[in-house]
Amino acid sequence: MIHSSRATPRVLIVGAGPTGLALAIELGHRSIPCLVIERNARVGHAPRAKTTNVRTREHLRRWGIASKLREASPLGVDYPSNVLFVTRLAGHELARFENAMYCAPGRNPMYSEHAQWVPQYTVEEVLREHAASLPGVEIRFNCELLDFEQGDVVSARVKDLEAGTETRIVADFLVGADGARSVVRDAIGAKMEGTYGLSRNYNVVFRAPGLDKAHRHGPAIMYWQVNADVPSLIGPMDTGDRWFFMPTAVSENVKFQAADAAPLIRRATGIDLPYEILSSDEWVASKLLADRYRQGRVFLAGDACHLHPPFGGYGMNMGIADGVDLGWKLAAMLQGWGGGKLLDSYELERRPVHQFVLDEATANHSTLSNQLVQNGMEDDCAAGKQARADIGARIMATKLREFNTLGVVKGYRYVASPIIAGEEGPEPQADFLNYLPSARPGSIAPHAWLHDGRSLYDTFGAGFTLLVTDGSQGSDVEGLQAAARACQLPLTLSLAPRGSVAALYGARYALIRPDQHVAWRGDSLPGDVAALLAQVSGRAAE
């Protein structure tokens, strides 16, 4: 246990990975007592995710901890987030993508926080420390969910794996953020549908002093090694000369042993150094989506309801977004200003986004180093040079979408949601590459930097925000504020300075949800503002 609270938990969260911690933070910031249980110790070298994307860091900004993750970056935030394709580290360069995933520091008008290349275990440390600092949040490790039953509440039986004792936890809601082998998913009878076993792959974490200087390609966060010997990915992961190595699409008849790792790295890189193996594990790339995310008071989030190849860096980030979406909605219900449709909207909003991202990740997975190999590509002759040029052109054509991801990260919108006041007209087609900020309801609110140096997002409140894009407060705003007070809906008023914000939002008013999605917009407030608030808070009648 790293934090204790005497408050009775209103929400029991199973799983203390990024998804469960994000949910706990969202609840903790809204003064909702919650208990997070985790059967493991959450320690080790395993790389898991390494990209914390701009949207996740915008949530960290809301929570006041974006700077903490920035400071915790092992390689430093100024380390160039380049991705290079090479025949091998000791070989030829084929193609390069600079500022992949938008990790470069500095202000960009389209987002409030740049991405970071940082190991998932470091992200978890920052999230865990912050969650544990919030009143009402309790985290117990080495604690396993045995079973549960539900009615007016959820009653769960949990076991302390160290003490060997069992206790019963009673909460209003239970959330399974317990990963790919989710016990909660099995307990509610949800099934994963899709394709299992797109490829077999291995993760190896190793230490190799001097490897960063032993090649001529310069610093990068990831090197794709395209050769017939060991098609693979390799890159720096942490201080202390720690790197990751990932052979891709390994055939079924190849049995990988930890002792084989060092010779394999030498073959793949063409660089003979002492390689100290720290950890290794096999993983299988799949494309799977749960057939449902909820049964009564029990919900699924993160890998418990969606699994996909890691190419594009979406997995951990999508789980954190699940925690945010579900967190503010559970809090609204428990605080009394949210209605039943709020919880119904969780799956209706998130599942189409998961499907969109699964398709993107699978498209990225379809072109691995294995598919790029050509005969003679490493030869130092005209034919070899031409082969490398051809491969480079193919890389630029097929892999751009994997490293320029803003269209996926910020361009999605909630379309068929009962708590979004939709607009007439066809929905713009999703663009996996190009992000065009839009204030159409359901979209992530367009970002802007204000003249005083603040982010527009910094003017949004913890609840709903009425953004007045021309900066002038009319008398009709008072009616909305009174209606919000009457139903106890938290509402902040943000008066944007005159300028480009109005053009960016395309309307005088925009109602922004707690998760920074646009719930409604218009040039004038509707005549029945109470009905609008009832819809966006899930209290509207059938």
Side-chain angles (χ1 to χ4, degrees):
M1 185 189 301
I2 67 168
H3 183 73
S4 179
S5 167
R6 295 182 180 179
T8 301
R10 305 296 303 274
V11 182
L12 174 61
I13 302 167
V14 184
T19 302
L21 292 172
L23 175 57
I25 290 171
E26 201 68 36
L27 292 169
H29 272 269
R30 302 174 193 283
S31 302
I32 302 297
C34 62
L35 169 63
V36 185
I37 62 172
E38 168 62 56
R39 72 182 313 276
N40 300 310
R42 302 300 298 189
V43 296
H45 298 289
R48 299 191 180 96
K50 293 173 283 293
T51 303
T52 302
N53 69 27
V54 298
R55 187 64 191 137
T56 292
R57 282 187 38 81
E58 287 180 334
H59 290 310
L60 267 64
R61 185 187 183 99
R62 271 197 309 116
W63 298 330
I65 57 173
S67 60
K68 290 186 178 180
L69 185 63
R70 188 179 298 113
E71 293 163 2
S73 178
L75 302 178
V77 293
D78 292 319
Y79 186 88
S81 62
N82 300 331
V83 173
L84 271 65
F85 285 73
V86 297
T87 56
R88 54 188 88 224
L89 279 185
H92 302 274
E93 180 177 320
L94 301 169
R96 70 169 52 215
F97 297 89
E98 297 187 344
N99 190 26
M101 317 295 187
Y102 310 92
C103 294
R107 292 192 169 186
N108 187 302
M110 292 188 288
Y111 46 79
S112 62
E113 291 287 340
H114 62 83
Q116 271 187 256
W117 181 258
V118 56
Q120 180 176 320
Y121 53 73
T122 301
V123 178
E124 288 187 19
E125 288 173 6
V126 172
L127 295 179
R128 189 165 55 241
E129 179 182 349
H130 185 60
S133 74
L134 299 173
V137 176
E138 180 181 354
I139 307 174
R140 299 181 192 173
F141 290 100
N142 299 305
C143 187
E144 181 180 26
L145 175 71
L146 297 178
D147 53 44
F148 62 85
E149 55 189 28
Q150 60 173 315
D152 294 336
V153 293
V154 179
S155 178
R157 193 164 57 101
V158 303
K159 182 176 182 178
D160 184 319
L161 297 176
E162 289 184 341
T165 56
E166 296 181 12
T167 57
R168 187 160 291 278
I169 305 295
V170 177
D172 293 89
F173 298 100
L174 184 150
V175 179
D178 49 344
R181 297 177 178 88
S182 172
V183 172
V184 178
R185 183 182 66 230
D186 292 343
I188 67 172
K191 305 296 183 185
M192 295 295 265
E193 299 176 338
T195 305
Y196 174 82
L198 297 174
S199 66
R200 287 176 70 235
N201 312 271
Y202 286 92
N203 276 331
V204 178
V205 177
F206 65 95
R207 183 177 288 114
L211 182 57
D212 59 332
K213 301 293 193 299
H215 63 87
R216 64 176 184 272
H217 300 297
I221 57 175
M222 190 188 311
Y223 304 85
W224 288 61
Q225 300 188 117
V226 183
N227 60 66
D229 289 333
V230 190
S232 54
L233 281 72
I234 194 169
M237 196 181 81
D238 206 335
T239 56
D241 297 297
R242 272 182 280 180
W243 289 61
F244 71 91
F245 172 64
M246 191 175 81
T248 54
V250 179
S251 62
E252 290 295 331
N253 60 349
V254 174
K255 300 302 179 184
F256 182 87
Q257 303 294 329
D260 301 330
L264 207 60
I265 295 169
R266 288 190 185 91
R267 279 181 60 201
T269 60
I271 297 174
D272 186 11
L273 286 175
Y275 295 106
E276 178 190 357
I277 306 305
L278 302 176
S279 70
S280 64
D281 60 283
E282 179 182 347
W283 61 274
V284 177
S286 299
K287 179 185 179 183
L288 297 168
L289 199 61
D291 58 357
R292 55 192 172 93
Y293 293 6
R294 177 189 183 188
Q295 182 191 68
R297 293 177 172 272
V298 180
F299 295 82
L300 302 176
D303 288 355
C305 56
H306 50 81
L307 288 169
H308 57 79
F311 301 99
Y314 299 120
M316 179 195 74
N317 298 284
M318 196 157 59
I320 288 175
D322 293 347
V324 168
D325 186 276
L326 188 55
W328 76 263
K329 292 172 180 177
L330 289 174
M333 288 291 294
L334 294 169
Q335 290 169 341
W337 58 268
K341 288 186 177 179
L342 209 56
L343 298 187
D344 293 339
S345 73
Y346 168 65
E347 181 175 341
L348 292 172
E349 290 185 347
R350 295 301 297 162
R351 200 171 194 275
V353 176
H354 296 156
Q355 185 64 66
F356 176 43
V357 173
L358 259 66
D359 291 342
E360 272 303 298
T362 304
N364 294 335
H365 176 271
S366 66
T367 304
L368 300 179
S369 299
N370 310 62
Q371 285 81 33
L372 296 167
V373 175
Q374 288 187 20
N375 291 331
M377 59 177 295
E378 297 190 78
D379 295 346
D380 288 319
C381 61
K385 184 176 181 181
Q386 184 60 52
R388 292 191 290 273
D390 293 342
I391 295 169
R394 183 181 174 192
I395 291 167
M396 297 305 295
T398 58
K399 303 302 278 185
L400 179 64
R401 67 194 299 170
E402 185 169 339
F403 309 114
N404 293 268
T405 58
L406 208 57
V408 177
V409 170
K410 291 202 70 172
Y412 67 88
R413 60 174 55 87
Y414 300 140
V415 178
S417 173
I419 62 169
I420 294 293
E423 295 180 350
E424 294 183 355
E427 287 287 336
Q429 188 172 1
D431 189 324
F432 58 80
L433 184 62
N434 299 298
Y435 171 55
L436 181 64
S438 170
R440 188 179 177 93
S443 304
I444 296 172
H447 177 261
W449 291 105
L450 304 181
H451 294 165
D452 61 5
R454 290 180 301 164
S455 162
L456 177 63
Y457 289 174
D458 295 343
T459 71
F460 297 169
F464 278 80
T465 299
L466 180 67
L467 175 64
V468 184
T469 64
D470 65 2
S472 61
Q473 180 178 345
S475 58
D476 51 352
V477 171
E478 296 177 1
L480 182 69
Q481 291 173 315
R485 287 193 296 270
C487 64
Q488 298 183 313
L489 182 145
L491 180 68
T492 297
L493 181 64
S494 172
L495 303 178
R498 294 182 180 274
S500 59
V501 173
L504 191 61
Y505 278 76
R508 183 183 181 192
Y509 297 118
L511 187 62
I512 312 299
R513 303 185 340 174
D515 58 0
Q516 298 177 342
H517 282 257
V518 179
W520 167 90
R521 68 173 174 176
D523 287 321
S524 60
L525 291 172
D528 190 348
V529 290
L532 173 62
L533 295 183
Q535 179 181 2
V536 300
S537 62
R539 296 179 292 107
E542 295 291 344

